[in-house]
Amino acid sequence: MRTYILGLLVMAGPVWAHDAVIDGATARASGAGWSISVTLTHEEAGWDDYADGWRVETEGGEVLGTRVLAHPHVNEQPFTRSLSGVDVPEGVTTVWIRARTSADGWGQERFRLDLP
């Protein structure tokens, strides 16, 4: 009986789940901090598995800003979204972008973005 239940639990999980890919990012200084634009690709499966955000981090992992993505982008791949007003500490010349999916949470891979 236990094997049967475990098999059902494994089958219930999304077998297609995987991290979003960060294809690129840009940064520009603005009056109220930095404006960061990030381009993502993810094999969206609708509401069950979609890229639902990305964040800007320091090299040490301090979160400087988070962009929440409120819906799937099934028919819009890759797609780019921006976040304004990111407060980057003085002296920091590189930030890191990390993507999130609704199925897997925060990805392990980070994208290096050198500030101009």
Side-chain angles (χ1 to χ4, degrees), residues 44-92:
E44 309 276 289
W47 291 100
D48 291 332
D49 182 13
Y50 71 99
D52 67 351
W54 53 265
R55 68 186 181 195
V56 181
E57 304 176 349
T58 63
E59 185 171 4
E62 176 188 352
V63 178
L64 303 177
T66 301
R67 176 62 155 96
V68 175
L69 303 170
H71 60 85
H73 296 85
V74 175
N75 298 315
E76 184 185 356
Q77 294 291 321
F79 64 97
T80 303
R81 296 295 179 271
S82 299
L83 177 65
S84 297
V86 178
D87 186 19
V88 177
E90 189 173 329
V92 171

